[in-house]
Amino acid sequence: NAPRVLLADEPTGNLDSTTSEAVFRQLLVLVRETGMAALIATHNPELAARMDRTLTLRDGVLAA
């Protein structure tokens, strides 16, 4: 149905590192091939560092 936005809450949170990398790569392929935006919530700083843009919540306050 071609959504414009993908929302993913900790999509790799309970995965081993190999599977986590595979899932993340597939998300990137999906976003790049379709032009869809992805909003991904994560506690993984390595994953966050690979995003085009990151926003951080600290003590319930958005810190860009």
Side-chain angles (χ1 to χ4, degrees):
N1 58 5
R4 294 182 188 185
V5 178
L6 169 71
L7 303 176
D9 183 13
E10 293 284 348
T12 62
N14 291 320
L15 304 175
D16 61 83
S17 59
T18 302
T19 306
S20 178
E21 179 63 24
V23 167
F24 181 67
R25 285 184 186 197
Q26 286 300 311
L27 286 172
L28 287 179
V29 167
L30 180 64
V31 166
R32 289 188 177 133
E33 287 183 355
T34 66
M36 159 189 339
L39 188 147
I40 300 175
T42 184
H43 289 95
N44 182 331
E46 291 89 23
L47 179 66
R50 295 167 61 189
M51 302 294 173
D52 292 334
R53 180 176 180 199
T54 59
L55 301 172
T56 304
L57 279 176
R58 286 196 183 97
D59 300 323
V61 177
L62 187 62

